[in-house]
Amino acid sequence: MGTQARWWYRHLCDPRCEEEELPRLASLAQPDADLQFWPAVQTLVAQGLPERAVQLLQLHPALRGGAAAAGLSAPEAGLLVRLEALLEEMP
């Protein structure tokens, strides 16, 4: 399989992120601390699954308890809130 075909399969066709990674991350006490949290958000967006990406993003403590609870600055937490809003508006 060529490089482009592997990229296409990994980002746009492979269902493992939605079927396996999303439930695994959702079951963790601190999913945002897992190394696969942000790659999973990116993969779900690339696969055209913004609602699933929002579902995962909403597990981030900054969106559940505020910036202080997540150990983030107000601008960092603001970026997460804007990202959430952007993903919710994606067609």
Side-chain angles (χ1 to χ4, degrees), residues 21 24-25 28 30-40:
E21 202 61 23
R24 184 187 73 76
L25 288 166
L28 298 175
Q30 293 181 305
D32 60 301
D34 190 282
L35 293 176
Q36 291 305 308
F37 182 81
W38 290 109

Side-chain angles (χ1 to χ4, degrees), residues 4-18 42-49:
Q4 290 176 335
R6 280 194 302 272
W7 185 94
W8 180 268
Y9 181 79
R10 178 173 178 230
H11 293 287
L12 301 176
C13 302
D14 188 357
R16 286 182 292 179
C17 186
E18 183 180 16
Q42 292 170 339
T43 298
L44 291 166
V45 170
Q47 289 177 339
L49 300 169

Side-chain angles (χ1 to χ4, degrees), residues 10-89:
R10 178 173 178 230
H11 293 287
L12 301 176
C13 302
D14 188 357
R16 286 182 292 179
C17 186
E18 183 180 16
E19 295 173 359
E20 297 172 16
E21 202 61 23
L22 183 58
R24 184 187 73 76
L25 288 166
S27 72
L28 298 175
Q30 293 181 305
D32 60 301
D34 190 282
L35 293 176
Q36 291 305 308
F37 182 81
W38 290 109
V41 171
Q42 292 170 339
T43 298
L44 291 166
V45 170
Q47 289 177 339
L49 300 169
E51 68 284 347
R52 303 297 271 164
V54 167
Q55 180 184 357
L56 180 56
L57 190 62
Q58 289 174 338
L59 298 175
H60 197 287
L63 296 175
R64 290 183 296 168
L72 298 177
S73 68
E76 290 170 326
L79 285 173
L80 286 176
V81 170
R82 285 187 222 118
L83 177 58
E84 177 187 29
L86 179 65
L87 290 173
E88 287 175 339
E89 295 297 320

